[in-house]
């Protein structure tokens, strides 16, 4: 029971944070705001799923925010109907979406190649990829904002069922459920735990470590591209700095949700709690009549508090483990 | 699946299940194994001894596909093999119980038993229920019924972990089983159980290669004893035709 | 082993090299050689500033080169050192870091190369002329246009207004926001909701959507409309209405991004306060030419008197810190009446595609 509570601490924190916010600002207690939190969380959530796949395998993927930015801009460039800033190709949205996902997958392949074949540290590889894709993003499109995107392209990110429930929310929650299922019930998911927990043991037991790692990075890349599609649709425009700095929130959400940077530990549901917690904090601070000067500080302190709390639960869990014969 | 290797428990056509010729391995400039040749037979325990750094672990890792040799050939069941990964060797019926046990602490017992070879349902999801049941049965048959298949391995004692590692190798009905220091850090009662187990395995036709520092254990269990010294084969003796003094001399490189 | 390590390093280097973006280069012409060391060339506004300055300078017979500091103070110092060593007739800066750039400016001063600043300035050293936008004017016009249009739309100047302002440690963001607040403070029935953002579209969208969900807004204004997100947020709430339609939320911005010009054309955006990058770049290019020719130099504060020059009549002020003159080009509103004007930077940029 104690262990269960510790493992799900993020949901308890989420509950108390929400109650505290609503107590201070009753206007937060509305369906619309609740959905705003989910909608805000969807992009971060999709990226976090990719990060968790990599983290479980004991690797980092810092590049997903850049994958998002790059594929969003290139995709918007290919699909835009704007005469001046688009490519002029006006490719069919379905094709562009496939190309974006393929680009995301390619990024994952390149990351994996350096990590697996050349055995460069994943942190360095994906950091280099982060910078390289940023650079490409600037070069590719003359640094313009891309807009005039066809409605069929923006529907995933922009359409709301009944004008209230965004498709992106359904997508993001479904993705969490599916990926939790993948982790719990497929050989791929279980192998990731083994690889992250003890890579040598996994290899010696015959797990295809390289192939699983490749799959994790490819998934992360494709999820980055998927997030790009959602975000481009939501904003109906794409700028070159799209996604910039999100890697910190991705890490924060993963860690708050009980993901281990050393790999082999964690679930999808914990980080989902982390994502929603960040969403509540951000949306709550947007609605509350709080001085602008305080927003960054308050958000920083709340995130820090969540991370500290996570660490405390981890220490408790370690004690519990060592005290058991 | 689990019993495909039990059809021909005996040796290859001309006697030996495993034939190793001139096996060598370098790590950078360090020669870990230098032209080692030997054979291992079914229904036999081959004791493998040697000082630290003699090349015992390297030998196991070469035969099981963890490392690839720089030179030499491996013939397993009359077929020349070049395992790229441990997955390939496991598929042919070679199991290894590693000294460091090669378990994943974060996972539960059943999952460690089935590590790398998870049983699947018809829709390709993992068959957790069946694996837990079979792991329980396996533990029971090994006299480890008190160990829950759903216990997390990280919380187990050293002896219990060793039991899990042994269970894993046994589940898959190995034709050739390497046991790298299986008795290290075990209580006396547990050591007895392991040695008894080795004997039983031999009697079912398995070729067991048993690595130990403890010569008493080797002499009481092995049919033949193979000695490595600084990466080279120092000698192979029938247990009944040698004594501890000779083996120790071989281990120290005295001829 | 050694080969493997070299290969690995080479691979990393290759990835990093791919990330380096390209800088502009100009064709050669006889005459003065001048260089503009841009802080960055990663957004439409900075590209327009650089390219327009280059075009105008070349049309005046100067050999104009663009260098890119890529938002790195270190890279910027290197570019300045190179420019000084190459002996350009004039260096035009736009510092990434105003304090760090001061050292570079002083080195140019020592080398006897006149220094000018475009869009931004160093904190010291001697700068002959700074040409930049007047942030107070930008904020004032954005707020005045907002108030006027709220009255047109609603019949009275009352209700909740959202202001998306940038970080207050940025001079541009602070000056613009203070000007907006000063105007709105004169209208007691306006309730101002100020929200901090860091110039990301996600924030523009999320904040607008959250605030508009919890409040009935009559107007929105912001520190820069180069960042998208506001119109999409209103659209997703079903609150993006055309001007004049019931429930239309008045939106005014600052800068007049090309995308905003299209929204204005579609009656979905009310107005924007123009940051006249084409204007101040043109002025600076002409002034540099005149300065190097020795045909005209500003000598006193007040309206500049050089009939025929594009800076004629603009007020010059003395800048103590940079021991030189400064002009701040005033903003002007852009709306349905003038959004197709080719001199707007949002239209001018189309020729650089």
């Amino acid at each position: 029971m104690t262990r269960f509570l510790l493992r799900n601490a993020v949901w308890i924190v989420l509950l108390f944070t929400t109650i505290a916010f609503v107590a201070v600002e009753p206007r937060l207690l509305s369906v619309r705001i609740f959905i705003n939190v989910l909608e805000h969380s969807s992009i971060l959530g999709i990226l976090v799923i990719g990060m968790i796949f990599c983290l479980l395998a004991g690797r980092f993927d810092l590049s997903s925010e850049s994958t998002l930015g790059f594929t969003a801009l290139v995709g918007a460039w290919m699909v835009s109907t704007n005469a001046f800033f688009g490519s002029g190709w006006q490719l069919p949205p379905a094709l562009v979406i496939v190309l974006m996902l393929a680009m995301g997958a390619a990024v994952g392949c390149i990351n994996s190649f350096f990590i697996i074949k050349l055995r460069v540290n994943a942190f360095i590889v994906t950091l280099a990829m982060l910078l390289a894709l940023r650079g490409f993003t600037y070069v590719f499109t003359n640094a313009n904002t891309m807009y005039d995107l066809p409605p069929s392209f923006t529907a995933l990110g922009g359409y709301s069922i009944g004008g209230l429930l965004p498709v992106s929310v359904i997508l993001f929650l479904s993705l969490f459920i599916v990926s939790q299922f993948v982790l719990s019930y497929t050989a791929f998911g279980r192998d990731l735990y083994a690889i992250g927990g003890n890579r040598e043991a996994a290899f010696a037991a015959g797990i295809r470590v390289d192939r699983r790692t490749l799959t994790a990075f490819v998934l992360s890349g494709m999820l980055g591209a998927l997030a790009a599609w959602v975000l481009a649709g939501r904003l109906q425009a794409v700028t070159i700095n799209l996604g910039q700095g999100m890697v910190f929130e991705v890490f924060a959400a993963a860690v708050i949700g009980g993901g281990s940077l050393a790999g082999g530990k964690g679930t999808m549901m914990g980080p989902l709690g982390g994502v929603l917690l960040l969403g509540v904090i951000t949306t709550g601070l947007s609605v509350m009549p709080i001085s602008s000067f305080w927003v960054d500080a308050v958000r920083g302190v709340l995130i820090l508090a969540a991370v500290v709390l996570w660490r405390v639960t981890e220490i408790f869990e370690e004690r519990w483990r060592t005290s058991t014969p | 699946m689990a019993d495909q290797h039990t059809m021909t428990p005996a040796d290859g056509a001309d006697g030996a299940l495993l034939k190793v010729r001139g096996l060598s391995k370098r790590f950078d400039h360090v020669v870990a194994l230098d032209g080692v040749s030997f054979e291992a037979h079914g229904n036999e325990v081959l004791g493998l001894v040697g000082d630290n750094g003699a090349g015992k672990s390297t030998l196991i890792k070469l035969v099981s596909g963890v490392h690839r040799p720089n030179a030499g050939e491996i013939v397993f069941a009359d077929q020349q093999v070049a395992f790229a990964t441990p997955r390939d060797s496991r598929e042919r019926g070679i199991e290894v119980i590693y000294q460091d046990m090669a378990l994943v602490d974060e996972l539960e017992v059943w999952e460690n038993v089935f590590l790398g070879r998870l049983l699947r349902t018809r829709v390709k999801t993992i068959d957790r229920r069946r694996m837990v049941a079979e792991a329980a049965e396996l533990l029971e048959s090994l006299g480890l019924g008190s160990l829950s298949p759903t216990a997390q391995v990280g919380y187990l004692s050293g002896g219990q972990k060793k039991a899990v590692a042994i269970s894993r190798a046994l589940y898959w009905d190995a034709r050739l089983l390497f046991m790298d220091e299986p008795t290290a850090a075990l209580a006396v009662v547990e050591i007895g159980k392991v040695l008894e187990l080795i004997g039983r395995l031999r009697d079912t036709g398995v070729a067991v290669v048993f690595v130990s520092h403890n010569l008493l254990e080797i002499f009481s269990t092995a049919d033949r004893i193979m000695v490595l010294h600084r990466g080279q084969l120092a000698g192979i003796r029938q247990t009944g035709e040698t004594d501890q003094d000779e083996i120790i001399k071989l281990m120290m490189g005295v001829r | 082993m050694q080969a493997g390590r070299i290969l690995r390093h080479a691979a990393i280097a290759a990835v990093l090299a791919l990330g380096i973006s390209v800088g502009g280069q100009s064709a050669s012409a006889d005459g003065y050689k001048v260089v503009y060391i841009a802080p960055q060339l990663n957004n439409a506004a900075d590209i327009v500033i650089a390219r327009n300055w280059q075009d105008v300078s070349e049309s005046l017979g100067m050999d104009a080169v663009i260098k890119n500091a890529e938002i790195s103070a270190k890279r910027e110092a290197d570019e300045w050192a190179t420019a000084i060593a190459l002996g350009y007739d004039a260096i035009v800066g736009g510092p990434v870091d105003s304090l760090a750039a001061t050292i570079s400016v002083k080195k140019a001063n020592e080398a006897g190369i006149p220094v000018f600043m475009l869009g931004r300035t160093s904190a010291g050293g001697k700068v002959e002329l700074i040409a930049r936008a007047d942030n107070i004017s930008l904020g004032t016009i954005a707020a005045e246009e907002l108030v006027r249009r709220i009255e047109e739309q609603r019949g009275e100047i009352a209700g909740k207004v959202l202001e998306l302002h940038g970080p207050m440690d940025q001079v541009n963001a602070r000056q613009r926001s203070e000007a907006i607040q000063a105007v709105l403070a004169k209208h007691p029935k306006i309730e101002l909701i100020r929200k901090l953002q860091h110039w990301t579209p996600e924030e523009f969208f999320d904040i607008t959507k959250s605030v508009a969900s919890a409040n009935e807004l009559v107007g929105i204004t912001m520190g820069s409309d180069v960042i998208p997100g506001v119109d999409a947020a209103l659209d997703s709430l079903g609150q993006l209405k055309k001007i004049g339609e019931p429930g239309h939320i008045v939106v005014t911005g600052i800068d007049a991004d090309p995308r905003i010009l299209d929204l204005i054309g579609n009656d979905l955006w009310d107005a924007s306060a123009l940051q006249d990058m084409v204007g101040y770049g043109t002025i600076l290019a002409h002034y540099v030419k005149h300065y190097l020719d020795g045909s005209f130099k500003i000598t006193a504060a007040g309206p500049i008197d050089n009939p025929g020059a594009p800076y004629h009549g603009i007020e010059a002020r003395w800048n103590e810190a940079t021991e030189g003159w400064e002009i701040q080009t005033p903003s002007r509103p852009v709306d349905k009446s003038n959004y197709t004007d080719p001199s707007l930077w949002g239209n001018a940029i189309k020729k650089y595609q």
Side-chain angles (χ1 to χ4, degrees):
Chain A
M1 184 60 195
T2 321
R3 201 166 154 201
F4 177 81
L5 285 178
L6 285 176
R7 291 242 164 120
N8 294 284
V10 63
W11 291 99
I12 297 159
V13 175
L14 176 62
L15 184 71
F16 281 110
T17 309
T18 309
I19 291 171
F21 270 54
V22 170
V24 176
E25 176 56 75
R27 277 184 303 170
L28 284 167
L29 195 63
S30 85
V31 174
R32 209 169 254 288
I33 295 291
F34 179 69
I35 286 172
N36 283 354
V37 170
L38 291 174
E39 186 180 28
H40 167 81
S41 305
S42 60
I43 304 297
L44 181 64
I46 294 170
L47 293 185
V48 164
I49 292 173
M51 176 66 98
I52 295 294
F53 279 130
C54 295
L55 276 182
L56 278 179
R59 309 283 195 178
F60 294 98
D61 186 359
L62 302 179
S63 64
S64 59
E65 64 159 60
S66 264
T67 309
L68 183 158
F70 179 75
T71 54
L73 200 72
V74 175
W77 180 73
M78 292 191 293
V79 83
S80 169
T81 57
N82 189 284
F84 297 101
F85 303 116
S87 59
W89 303 342
Q90 301 187 22
L91 296 182
L95 174 63
V96 170
I97 289 154
V98 170
L99 288 174
M100 285 169 70
L101 292 173
M103 282 188 281
V107 170
C109 287
I110 296 167
N111 278 337
S112 311
F113 173 77
F114 284 100
I115 293 164
I116 297 168
K117 292 294 172 199
L118 301 181
R119 280 177 287 146
V120 190
N121 182 291
F123 192 90
I124 293 167
V125 171
T126 58
L127 182 64
M129 181 59 85
L130 176 92
L131 299 173
L133 283 180
R134 275 279 163 235
F136 275 129
T137 309
Y138 293 147
V139 175
F140 209 99
T141 56
N142 229 348
N144 293 308
T145 299
M146 297 294 152
Y147 58 104
D148 287 347
L149 311 176
S152 55
F153 184 78
T154 59
L156 183 72
Y159 182 71
S160 296
I161 295 167
L164 188 65
L165 183 61
V167 183
S168 57
V169 168
I170 299 169
L171 173 80
F172 128 81
L173 292 176
S174 315
L175 278 174
F176 264 97
I177 293 165
V178 168
S179 39
Q180 179 63 63
F181 178 85
V182 166
L183 286 190
S184 298
Y185 297 106
T186 68
F188 167 69
R190 299 320 301 172
D191 285 356
L192 287 186
Y193 283 97
I195 293 167
N198 187 341
R199 196 173 300 156
E200 278 74 35
F203 179 68
I207 289 174
R208 293 185 177 101
V209 175
D210 291 352
R211 195 188 292 189
R212 296 305 196 200
T213 308
L214 170 75
T215 308
F217 276 97
V218 167
L219 278 175
S220 182
M222 291 179 76
L223 287 163
L226 185 66
W229 178 21
V230 174
L231 189 53
R234 176 174 308 163
L235 300 171
Q236 299 176 22
V238 176
T239 57
I240 43 148
N241 66 345
L242 210 60
Q244 206 155 25
M246 278 191 87
V247 67
F248 300 108
E249 285 195 45
V250 171
F251 262 112
V255 166
I256 293 167
S260 163
L261 298 189
K265 267 199 289 188
T267 61
M268 281 295 170
M269 288 304 137
L272 172 62
V275 167
L276 294 178
L277 180 61
L278 294 184
V280 166
I281 291 172
T282 304
T283 307
L285 290 177
S286 294
V287 176
M288 282 174 149
I290 180 172
S291 161
S292 292
F293 294 101
W294 284 96
V295 171
D296 277 348
V298 170
R299 179 156 62 169
V301 166
L302 286 176
I303 293 172
L304 191 65
V307 173
V308 166
L309 189 91
W310 157 76
R311 181 60 194 143
V312 168
T313 61
E314 207 187 43
I315 289 169
F316 268 108
E317 198 171 325
E318 268 164 27
R319 282 210 190 135
W320 195 72
R321 176 188 286 204
T322 48
S323 67
T324 311
Chain B
M1 176 86 187
D3 46 18
Q4 71 186 37
H5 306 303
T6 55
M7 291 181 292
T8 53
D11 291 354
D14 64 348
L17 178 66
L18 175 74
K19 281 180 278 190
V20 172
R21 297 275 170 269
L23 204 61
S24 299
K25 179 68 181 176
R26 285 189 319 275
F27 295 104
D28 288 330
H29 301 293
V30 180
V31 178
L33 209 63
D34 185 11
V36 171
S37 304
F38 72 98
E39 293 179 347
H41 304 269
N43 292 105
E44 181 200 63
V45 177
L46 176 63
L48 176 55
V49 296
D51 212 345
N52 289 333
K56 303 180 302 262
S57 292
T58 304
L59 179 67
I60 295 173
K61 285 177 176 167
L62 289 174
V63 176
S64 63
V66 174
H67 296 315
R68 264 161 283 182
N70 297 107
E73 61 170 30
I74 301 168
V75 176
F76 183 71
D78 289 332
Q79 266 189 317
Q80 186 156 350
V81 290
F83 300 127
T85 65
R87 184 181 191 83
D88 299 339
S89 71
R90 290 193 79 186
E91 270 169 15
R92 298 296 296 273
I94 299 176
E95 290 288 333
V96 183
I97 297 164
Y98 288 99
Q99 184 175 8
D100 50 12
M101 293 176 295
L103 298 180
V104 182
D105 281 351
E106 277 74 19
L107 300 180
E108 294 174 0
V109 169
W110 66 271
E111 208 164 354
N112 270 288
V113 169
F114 289 90
L115 199 68
R117 294 177 148 189
L118 297 165
L119 304 181
R120 319 250 197 123
T121 62
R122 250 172 294 166
V123 289
K124 293 291 170 199
T125 57
I126 59 164
D127 197 342
R128 185 179 191 275
R129 190 178 306 168
R130 196 172 129 215
M131 286 188 278
V132 170
E134 298 210 6
E137 204 176 305
L138 182 67
L139 292 171
E140 187 72 56
S141 74
L142 293 171
L144 299 161
S146 62
L147 187 55
S148 164
T150 55
Q152 198 182 320
V153 164
Y155 293 91
L156 300 183
S157 70
Q160 286 173 314
K161 284 185 180 181
K162 197 131 269 182
V164 174
I166 294 172
S167 308
R168 172 161 82 206
L170 297 187
Y171 180 82
W172 299 102
D173 293 339
R175 301 176 68 184
L176 172 61
L177 176 63
F178 286 99
M179 304 177 96
D180 193 357
E181 301 277 1
T183 56
L186 289 191
V188 178
V189 185
E190 292 172 320
I191 291 173
K193 279 187 187 170
V194 171
L195 296 181
E196 186 199 321
L197 185 69
I198 291 173
R200 268 201 282 157
L201 288 169
R202 168 184 49 201
D203 297 341
T204 59
V206 178
V208 180
V209 179
F210 171 36
V211 180
S212 178
H213 271 106
N214 188 325
L215 289 182
L216 279 176
E217 289 175 8
I218 292 284
F219 271 87
S220 69
T221 320
D223 301 298
R224 289 188 301 145
I225 302 171
M226 167 176 169
V227 187
L228 290 178
H229 175 67
R230 293 189 183 166
Q232 292 182 326
L233 183 66
I236 300 182
R237 299 285 181 274
Q238 292 290 336
T239 309
E241 298 167 8
T242 185
D243 55 30
Q244 287 204 29
D245 279 353
E246 186 189 20
I247 297 297
I248 289 168
K249 277 179 185 160
L250 287 171
M251 284 170 69
M252 292 167 65
V254 182
R255 294 191 183 247
Chain C
M1 192 65 195
Q2 197 63 28
R5 190 171 299 160
I6 291 165
L7 186 60
R8 254 176 260 168
H9 284 261
I12 298 170
V15 167
L16 290 173
L18 292 171
I20 297 168
S21 73
V22 290
Q25 287 291 342
S26 81
S28 167
D30 287 336
Y32 303 116
K33 293 172 88 69
V34 292
V35 61
Y36 170 51
I37 300 166
Q40 56 193 320
L41 290 172
N42 62 9
N43 63 80
D46 276 304
I47 289 174
V48 166
I49 291 174
R51 295 290 296 275
N52 172 67
W53 167 84
Q54 187 178 44
D55 283 357
V56 176
S57 296
E58 285 176 353
S59 75
L60 295 170
M62 295 189 284
D63 185 358
V65 175
I66 299 168
K67 292 291 176 188
N68 185 359
E70 292 179 1
I71 332 180
S72 154
K74 161 83 173 63
R75 179 83 192 272
E76 187 163 69
D78 292 346
E79 290 292 355
W80 276 79
T82 308
I84 292 165
L86 289 175
Y88 280 97
D89 294 306
I91 299 176
V92 180
V96 172
D97 183 320
S98 58
L99 283 173
T102 301
I103 298 159
S104 295
V105 173
K106 285 182 175 164
K107 283 182 185 161
N109 295 153
E110 283 167 21
I113 300 174
V115 173
F116 302 84
M117 289 288 171
L118 194 49
R120 328 176 179 200
T121 180
S122 62
K126 179 158 177 55
V127 178
E128 301 303 328
L129 181 68
I130 301 161
R132 59 176 167 182
D134 181 348
N135 285 312
I136 310 286
S137 167
L138 286 166
T140 305
I141 286 178
E144 284 175 353
E145 289 296 313
L146 184 81
V147 168
R148 187 167 69 79
R149 285 154 200 275
I150 287 173
E151 190 171 26
E152 279 175 19
Q153 177 76 28
R154 310 260 167 178
E156 60 165 345
I157 305 172
K160 291 177 177 175
V161 167
L162 168 64
E163 183 212 350
L164 295 160
H165 67 85
M168 289 288 105
D169 56 345
Q170 297 175 2
V171 175
N172 286 357
R174 194 182 65 239
Q175 289 183 342
R176 291 175 186 188
S177 180
E178 283 169 358
I180 289 170
Q181 291 176 67
V183 171
L184 296 181
K186 292 180 207 153
H187 303 282
K189 286 183 175 171
I190 292 281
E191 183 189 329
L192 181 60
I193 301 170
R194 300 184 67 236
K195 291 295 170 189
L196 169 69
Q197 41 73 23
H198 307 79
W199 313 119
T200 71
E202 296 95 317
E203 284 174 298
F204 271 55
F205 180 93
D206 288 334
I207 295 172
T208 304
K209 188 159 183 180
S210 296
V211 174
S213 297
N215 301 277
E216 197 178 317
L217 296 176
V218 297
I220 301 174
T221 190
M222 63 209 70
S224 170
D225 56 30
V226 171
I227 319 297
V230 170
D231 47 307
L234 292 180
D235 192 19
S236 77
L237 288 169
Q239 295 182 13
L240 187 66
K241 307 262 172 64
K242 290 206 170 189
I243 296 169
E245 284 180 5
H248 168 74
I249 296 173
V250 176
V251 189
T252 66
I254 287 176
D255 287 338
D257 181 75
R259 199 179 66 89
I260 300 304
L261 300 184
D262 284 4
L263 286 171
I264 289 173
N266 292 325
D267 295 320
L268 294 170
W269 193 282
D270 292 78
S272 182
L274 175 72
Q275 173 168 194
D276 193 6
M277 297 152 194
V278 170
Y280 60 69
T282 303
I283 284 171
L284 192 81
H286 279 90
Y287 187 77
V288 169
K289 176 74 161 66
H290 297 161
Y291 181 96
L292 294 175
D293 282 344
S295 64
F296 182 79
K297 272 177 192 165
I298 300 170
T299 51
I304 303 170
D305 183 28
N306 186 12
Y311 47 80
H312 175 71
I314 292 180
E315 183 161 308
R317 332 172 183 188
W318 182 253
N319 186 316
E320 287 289 340
T322 54
E323 304 163 51
W325 298 100
E326 170 170 351
I327 53 172
Q328 295 188 353
T329 56
S331 172
R332 62 180 193 272
V334 178
D335 61 13
K336 190 74 186 243
S337 67
N338 63 346
Y339 77 101
T340 55
D341 179 349
S343 74
L344 300 178
W345 72 269
N347 291 323
I349 191 170
K350 289 170 182 169
K351 56 179 193 227
Y352 300 125
Q353 298 310 308

